[in-house]
Amino acid sequence: ETGVTQSPTHLIKTRGQQVTLRCSSQSGHNTVSWYQQALGQGPQFIFQYYREEENGRGNFPPRFSGLQFPNYSSELNVNALELDDSALYLCASSVDRTSGNTIYFGEGSWLTVV
Amino acid sequence: GDSVTQMEGPVTLSEEAFLTINCTYTATGYPSLFWYVQYPGEGLQLLLKATKADDKGSNKGFEATYRKETTSFHLEKGSVQVSDSAVYFCALRDQGAQKLVFGQGTRLTINP
């Protein structure tokens, strides 16, 4: 149990639709990151939010966007879904941005695009 | 850019066997190194970490030593159990960087 909770756990969407995934970070953590894990691969960094501002972005197109709220919970939005967006989406939180701090992951949201 | 290369899987061992999963990395700075474990249907759990050269991370009988000279962070366990069956990911976080960079994962299966 890491204290990071994600919803929904599973969902199926049609190509071209939009999806919103949600994450509650561990209590006291102000930094949230999102990762995409395709089947059989390691997680890939999408972006990070620190105190409600985007604080770094991986190699993902602009149709991947996010928000962080004053309570440090976060959303990942993906527009114009493509079949290759099918993956496990992981939310992770840490107490701040310092690179040595432990990053805690949620159990993920499985997205299937058909 | 930063990268992590892990031993190709899958790996299948008998219970009580010795385990080594190799991990090497490339980084521009002085990264922190991590091993995460993912049990079936679950998210990632931190197994152990090391933040500077020659540090040894350890947890639940697993160990890994940060070797700067060989840019390696191999995972070892002296006697594996069926419950250790999972996918193991080596990862790094470079100094000042926002993201974890993961290897491709190694699937481990332990047979009774």
Side-chain angles (χ1 to χ4, degrees):
Chain A
E1 181 61 49
T2 63
V4 181
T5 58
Q6 293 186 239
S7 63
T9 52
H10 294 81
L11 69 168
I12 301 173
K13 290 286 189 178
T14 302
R15 190 171 48 184
Q17 285 189 315
Q18 177 264 348
V19 68
T20 298
L21 308 178
R22 295 178 174 83
C23 172
S24 294
S25 59
Q26 189 178 121
S27 178
H29 286 190
N30 59 25
T31 303
V32 172
S33 301
W34 287 90
Y35 290 78
Q36 180 195 66
Q37 184 180 8
L39 201 61
Q41 297 183 23
Q44 299 287 320
F45 175 74
I46 302 175
F47 43 56
Q48 181 186 86
Y49 278 83
Y50 171 68
R51 295 194 174 189
E52 302 179 60
E53 304 236 342
E54 188 176 295
N55 184 51
R57 190 177 184 92
N59 190 24
F60 281 81
R63 60 190 184 84
F64 286 78
S65 63
L67 281 174
Q68 187 179 32
F69 300 99
N71 66 354
Y72 302 135
S73 66
S74 177
E75 286 182 357
L76 164 65
N77 298 289
V78 187
N79 293 322
L81 284 167
E82 301 176 0
L83 297 180
D84 284 349
D85 296 332
S86 296
L88 177 65
Y89 288 85
L90 294 164
C91 173
S93 77
S94 57
V95 67
D96 63 29
R97 297 178 294 180
T98 308
S99 57
N101 284 331
T102 298
I103 296 176
Y104 296 91
F105 285 82
E107 298 204 348
S109 294
W110 287 96
L111 171 65
T112 301
V113 182
V114 297
Chain B
D2 295 349
S3 67
V4 175
T5 302
Q6 279 183 241
M7 174 177 168
E8 289 282 334
V11 174
T12 301
L13 296 172
S14 298
E15 205 165 21
E16 299 183 3
F18 184 85
L19 168 71
T20 301
I21 301 178
N22 290 337
C23 171
T24 57
Y25 68 89
T26 302
T28 52
Y30 299 94
S32 296
L33 301 175
F34 306 84
W35 277 100
Y36 280 84
V37 59
Q38 189 171 37
Y39 297 103
E42 298 186 12
L44 296 172
Q45 298 178 25
L46 178 67
L47 182 59
L48 52 84
K49 71 176 186 179
T51 57
K52 61 182 188 297
D54 300 325
D55 270 2
K56 178 186 282 189
S58 61
N59 186 26
K60 298 181 182 179
F62 290 89
E63 292 183 341
T65 301
Y66 189 142
R67 301 282 187 203
K68 190 169 184 294
E69 63 277 13
T70 54
T71 61
S72 65
F73 193 55
H74 304 321
L75 182 69
E76 295 182 338
K77 186 174 185 183
S79 177
V80 292
Q81 305 301 313
V82 172
S83 57
D84 294 327
S85 298
V87 181
Y88 291 80
F89 292 94
C90 184
L92 70 81
R93 191 176 183 189
D94 215 339
Q95 205 170 26
Q98 297 84 15
K99 64 180 182 180
L100 282 165
V101 175
F102 286 87
Q104 73 271 31
T106 301
R107 181 174 297 278
L108 174 66
T109 301
I110 307 299
N111 293 321

